[in-house]
Amino acid sequence: MNKKNTIVIAGAGIVGLVTAVLLGQSKVTKDSQIHIIESDDPKKYQSDCGVSLRVSAISVGSINILEKIAVWDKIISERAYRYSDMKVWDADDEVDGMSTIKFESDDFGISELGFIIENPLIQSQLTQLIDSLDISSHYGKRVTSLKSNKEKNKIVIGFANNQEIEADLLIGADGANSITRKLQGIEIKEHHYEQTALVTHVKCKKHHHDTAWQRFLPEGPIGLLPLGENRASIVWSITPEQAKLNSLLRKDELGVLLTEATDYVLGDLEVISETGLFPLKYHHAKQYVTKNFALIGDAAHCIHPMAGQGINLGIADAFTLVKNIERSILNGEYIGDISSLRPYERQRKGANWLMLDFVDLLNKLFSSRLELVRVFRELGMRLFNKSRLIKHHAVKIALGVNI
């Protein structure tokens, strides 16, 4: 049977895989031919190995979407780390000071704020699900060209081996350095933070009590994300020079430095994994859609990791785009037309812009050493903590749910 539409997803990261599963499970797109393309090999996950260095904070809103596609239970049955509370404090104050911002799931009538999950675990479970669906996976293929076939009203995707695929819609989910975005000539607003994220895992002297901790230091925030009893993932945003020097320290030396940077909130910290360095930048695509093309996830936007929102924004993109595709098909519209894709762009671009710029502003405010800014910062944190209405609104946006 001839398929009515061909949809190609470039990128088999978490966001691209979620998009493929949503499309593959949709009754509306059952007559569509779906391809997912990835230049690397499939990500493998072994539960008997140590916890992967790359983890993500999966919010309640994203969990709801993963539950809809019947993959969430499989993920948490393997390995997942719940966090019910969060504490955010300034280096100029104490962890339980008046300006410390506290989020407790009980205050919002939910069981947790989210889970810390290993990226390879999520990708592995999604890949297994895709294998059971009518989706063609192409690994080890690199997109090298894009051109428009106006006669057929399609986009032609070229690969390094000179093969081509014609598609009604190409979805660019190929990460921050998106090749598809560049080939489509979509410009981005960007700036590089003078920060690199140093990531490692530590054993803690004190129990984290299912709490995510974040302390704002002048050079950047340092976060402690729970990884089971007395273990945590560290994400420390510091200058590239400091990050490089710290990564060369012996584990015991780095442990002492991390203990001091976190103000002993979980006692002495012992480094128990390798250390990774990830340069940080802000970018936002000036447009999300063109003819036969849509951007999602990091290909469309990159956010500072302090709020743990990157993957959640991407999953929300995927869900919204697929709903938009379904609506277009039901209305008899062509899924590759810009007019059909614009509603997705309108829904997600504004929401993403607000989150990106808010987090960007926070990073600048907390990195400032001006006394006036420090006073304003402390006052703002105290007011935020006392306002139940503002706090509820912030959590609602961050978690992607109505509470």
Side-chain angles (χ1 to χ4, degrees), residues 223-247:
L224 287 154
L225 307 174
L227 293 179
E229 188 175 347
N230 293 86
R231 291 173 186 261
S233 171
I234 291 272
V235 182
W236 190 7
S237 301
I238 46 180
T239 66
E241 295 77 18
Q242 287 176 301
K244 180 64 175 177
L245 289 172
N246 292 349
S247 70

Side-chain angles (χ1 to χ4, degrees), residues 74 137 167 172 212 218 241 307 318 332 358 376 386 403:
K74 295 176 182 179
S137 299
E241 295 77 18
F358 176 68
F376 171 76
K386 290 180 179 180
I403 55 175

Side-chain angles (χ1 to χ4, degrees), residues 316-357:
D317 289 347
F319 185 77
T320 304
L321 178 59
V322 172
K323 287 298 178 186
N324 188 83
I325 293 169
E326 290 176 332
R327 179 197 55 76
S328 296
I329 293 173
L330 288 172
N331 290 343
E333 300 170 356
Y334 178 54
I335 63 171
D337 283 341
I338 293 181
S339 59
S340 298
L341 296 168
R342 284 280 188 228
Y344 156 70
E345 182 179 63
R346 285 195 295 268
Q347 280 184 267
R348 293 305 305 159
K349 189 177 180 184
N352 290 335
W353 176 80
L354 284 173
M355 182 63 75
L356 263 68
D357 281 29

Side-chain angles (χ1 to χ4, degrees), residues 19 37 79 103 116 125 144-145 150-151 196 233 266:
T19 308
I37 297 163
R79 196 154 58 192
F103 298 100
I116 307 300
Q125 290 296 336
T144 56
S145 68
K150 294 181 180 179
E151 187 176 320
T196 290
S233 171
L266 294 183

